Amino acid sequence: MKKCQENYSDFNQPKLILTLAKPTFIFMSLILDNIGKHVTLTEEEKVLFLSKTKTINVKAKTMLLNAGEISRYTYFVNQGILRSFNVTDNIVEHVLSFACKDWWIGDMYSLISGKPGHLFIEVIEDAELVLLSREDQEKLFHQIPKLERFFRILVENSLVAHQERLMDNLSLTAEERYEKFCQKYPSLITSVPQKHIASYIGVTPEFFSKMKAKLLRNSSH
Amino acid sequence: MKKCQENYSDFNQPKLILTLAKPTFIFMSLILDNIGKHVTLTEEEKVLFLSKTKTINVKAKTMLLNAGEISRYTYFVNQGILRSFNVTDNIVEHVLSFACKDWWIGDMYSLISGKPGHLFIEVIEDAELVLLSREDQEKLFHQIPKLERFFRILVENSLVAHQERLMDNLSLTAEERYEKFCQKYPSLITSVPQKHIASYIGVTPEFFSKMKAKLLRNSSH
DNA sequence: CTGCTTTCTTAACCTAGGTTAAGTAATTCA
DNA sequence: TGAATTACTTAACCTAGGTTAAGAAAGCAG
């Protein structure tokens, strides 16, 4: 737990230091494949869609979005790891979601309301991201109705996942929630600081540490 | 807390005892007005949409959906109160959501996966409901793209609400969550059994009762 | 109106997880 | 490489909320 004041405030002046990049060749079709899981676009539609996106490289620790800012972009992860979280009492962080390769992340509240959001979005591991602005997204919904279908399905799935997590938080112990986390995000277990995992499942880093020690003790003997 | 076994099992044989009803005149346009909040349909589109819906009257205590069943319908509430909940260890209920006049409710997981769901949907107060089957809904998405837009927006809003509730559960006390509940559902405070409110905010009925007594004591003097 | 069922309350006791604090291991960056 | 920061662990103590149980109140069907 840390004072977020000091950590995030210096982000305000220099404004996003990032590298505009031609999408790395091996990732060019990752986002199209992702869309292809739910709808089939024509070649022309693919080109039109890609023309509205920007691809950027961002270093670990970059804060892509601060609470209180209006969010314009939805992010698709070609590579790397991000997290979104909020901060209560200026101190305690709560991780809302992680995003790794082939996942989408954004501040839906700010995107749809156009108001300042409550979320921070931070790069945990150097990342290559595809950006889609809400403005372009909505234009694309008119030009390519299949894209609106795609995002409708994407949001439906996300809603179901959030409903399940809500119920899990009400009915499972911290240990059981950790087990589910491990199933859902196996790749993250070792690659993000465990205090963020603790925050995601809803316990303090201290309790998480105690819990993990207990799990080890029980499994080894 | 009760054994759900006895309460719900008798629902299986007689299958939905309900009254097929012409939508009550005063509610005829409630669902159209609701849709009109986000998209504008032509008169023909309205007629087409309504032709795919059924309106029914259901008595309090009817179980519209049991966990383990495949859910075919999304419900819109013209009048009355419903709740959706799951049951863990065959005993403990967790309320996922309430729905009163002008709200939508359904088991999104089962609807989109086509698999048996985990939710029960129960009528708390005699209700008039508009039913839309997933099958018809998807046909309508092709015939009236604006309807797909409407549901995309509806689900986006629902996602934001669920994200906020998730964060609230991680960061607020039971008392603060109750306060938020009162703001969000003022009409329910007195009209649903308070054990359901306790469940919604994530505490036991006993603790809820204790908490309420404390609030009263503090406010009165 | 009456008995039965469901809901609500109260109270004593319990526990999962939080807090504080201090020390140890990793990272990071100069 | 080594000082400084950040992350993790451990342990003693604490508390919000759970559990169990029993009685009171309120709904409701006959």
Side-chain angles (χ1 to χ4, degrees):
Chain A
M1 304 202 185
K2 54 188 175 184
K3 285 249 146 62
C4 73
Q5 228 72 330
E6 293 133 44
N7 284 286
Y8 312 134
S9 62
D10 63 345
F11 181 74
N12 286 323
Q13 294 93 356
K15 216 64 193 171
L16 260 193
I17 295 140
L18 45 73
T19 319
L20 249 176
K22 294 254 172 275
T24 308
F25 183 69
I26 50 167
F27 296 126
M28 277 222 47
S29 67
L30 192 63
I31 196 170
L32 293 177
D33 287 353
N34 186 276
I35 293 172
K37 285 173 190 170
H38 297 301
V39 298
T40 306
L41 299 185
T42 66
E43 289 307 310
E44 298 82 61
E45 287 168 338
K46 288 178 185 177
V47 170
L48 173 59
F49 171 74
L50 285 180
S51 77
K52 299 294 187 182
T53 66
K54 257 184 294 195
T55 300
I56 65 172
N57 288 301
V58 278
K59 288 255 153 244
K61 296 190 181 165
T62 307
M63 202 62 70
L64 287 168
L65 180 72
N66 282 275
E69 295 176 359
I70 293 172
S71 174
R72 296 187 50 221
Y73 296 103
T74 302
Y75 304 94
F76 176 82
V77 183
N78 274 341
Q79 193 179 29
I81 303 174
L82 317 197
R83 70 174 175 129
S84 68
F85 62 101
N86 76 1
V87 176
T88 50
D89 306 319
N90 269 3
I91 289 184
V92 191
E93 299 181 0
H94 297 277
V95 173
L96 175 61
S97 66
F98 292 103
C100 36
K101 194 175 174 169
D102 207 28
W103 288 65
W104 296 83
I105 193 170
D107 181 342
M108 179 68 79
Y109 168 76
S110 180
L111 281 171
I112 70 180
S113 70
K115 294 187 211 160
H118 310 295
L119 292 182
F120 296 82
I121 298 181
E122 186 193 43
V123 180
I124 294 182
E125 199 175 74
D126 293 2
E128 176 171 312
L129 306 175
V130 181
L131 273 63
L132 177 61
S133 77
R134 186 67 178 179
E135 206 188 326
D136 285 329
Q137 193 185 22
E138 285 180 348
K139 276 189 208 146
L140 283 167
F141 287 164
H142 284 89
Q143 298 167 298
I144 312 175
K146 272 174 287 181
L147 264 187
E148 182 150 28
R149 170 154 311 146
F150 171 74
F151 280 100
R152 192 251 309 157
I153 293 169
L154 196 69
V155 176
E156 281 179 351
N157 287 328
S158 182
L159 174 59
V160 166
H162 280 81
Q163 287 183 341
E164 187 182 340
R165 193 167 153 212
L166 238 180
M167 300 305 245
D168 286 349
N169 282 349
L170 295 180
S171 58
L172 304 183
T173 63
E175 226 163 282
E176 294 166 325
R177 275 176 271 142
Y178 178 51
E179 210 172 290
K180 280 209 156 192
F181 174 87
C182 292
Q183 282 161 21
K184 185 169 176 196
Y185 293 107
S187 70
L188 294 187
I189 301 170
T190 52
S191 54
V192 314
Q194 77 178 25
K195 62 175 185 170
H196 293 156
I197 300 178
S199 169
Y200 180 92
I201 69 171
V203 298
T204 58
E206 294 84 357
F207 181 77
F208 187 80
S209 186
K210 177 159 63 172
M211 190 183 85
K212 244 189 42 178
K214 190 186 131 213
L215 286 176
L216 264 177
R217 229 179 305 122
N218 290 355
S219 69
S220 72
H221 203 70
Chain B
M1 303 201 187
K2 55 184 171 183
K3 286 249 147 62
C4 71
Q5 230 71 331
E6 293 132 46
N7 282 286
Y8 311 134
S9 62
D10 63 345
F11 180 73
N12 287 322
Q13 293 92 358
K15 214 66 195 172
L16 260 191
I17 296 140
L18 45 74
T19 318
L20 250 176
K22 294 256 173 274
T24 308
F25 184 70
I26 49 167
F27 297 127
M28 278 223 43
S29 66
L30 192 62
I31 196 169
L32 294 177
D33 288 353
N34 185 276
I35 294 172
K37 285 174 191 169
H38 298 300
V39 298
T40 306
L41 299 185
T42 66
E43 289 308 310
E44 297 83 58
E45 288 167 338
K46 287 178 186 178
V47 169
L48 173 60
F49 171 76
L50 285 180
S51 77
K52 300 293 186 182
T53 66
K54 258 184 295 196
T55 300
I56 65 172
N57 288 301
V58 277
K59 288 256 153 243
K61 298 192 181 162
T62 307
M63 202 63 69
L64 288 169
L65 179 72
N66 283 274
E69 295 176 358
I70 294 172
S71 173
R72 295 186 51 219
Y73 297 102
T74 302
Y75 305 93
F76 176 82
V77 182
N78 273 342
Q79 193 179 27
I81 304 175
L82 315 198
R83 70 173 174 131
S84 68
F85 62 102
N86 75 2
V87 175
T88 52
D89 306 320
N90 269 2
I91 293 182
V92 191
E93 299 181 0
H94 296 277
V95 173
L96 175 61
S97 66
F98 293 103
C100 36
K101 194 176 176 170
D102 207 27
W103 288 65
W104 297 81
I105 192 168
D107 180 344
M108 179 68 78
Y109 168 76
S110 180
L111 281 172
I112 69 180
S113 70
K115 295 187 211 159
H118 310 294
L119 292 182
F120 297 81
I121 299 181
E122 186 193 45
V123 181
I124 295 181
E125 199 174 75
D126 291 2
E128 176 171 312
L129 306 176
V130 181
L131 273 62
L132 176 61
S133 77
R134 186 67 177 181
E135 207 189 325
D136 285 329
Q137 193 184 23
E138 285 180 351
K139 276 189 208 143
L140 283 167
F141 287 164
H142 285 90
Q143 296 167 300
I144 311 174
K146 271 175 288 180
L147 263 187
E148 181 149 29
R149 170 154 312 146
F150 170 74
F151 280 100
R152 193 250 310 156
I153 293 168
L154 197 69
V155 176
E156 281 178 351
N157 287 329
S158 182
L159 175 58
V160 166
H162 279 80
Q163 288 183 340
E164 187 183 340
R165 193 167 153 213
L166 237 180
M167 300 307 244
D168 286 350
N169 281 349
L170 296 180
S171 58
L172 303 182
T173 64
E175 226 164 282
E176 292 167 326
R177 276 176 272 142
Y178 178 52
E179 211 172 290
K180 280 209 154 190
F181 173 87
C182 294
Q183 282 161 22
K184 186 169 175 195
Y185 294 106
S187 70
L188 295 187
I189 301 170
T190 52
S191 55
V192 314
Q194 77 179 25
K195 64 175 182 169
H196 294 156
I197 300 177
S199 169
Y200 180 93
I201 69 171
V203 297
T204 58
E206 293 84 358
F207 181 77
F208 187 80
S209 185
K210 178 158 67 171
M211 190 183 85
K212 247 189 41 181
K214 191 185 131 213
L215 285 176
L216 265 177
R217 229 178 306 123
N218 290 354
S219 70
S220 72
H221 203 69

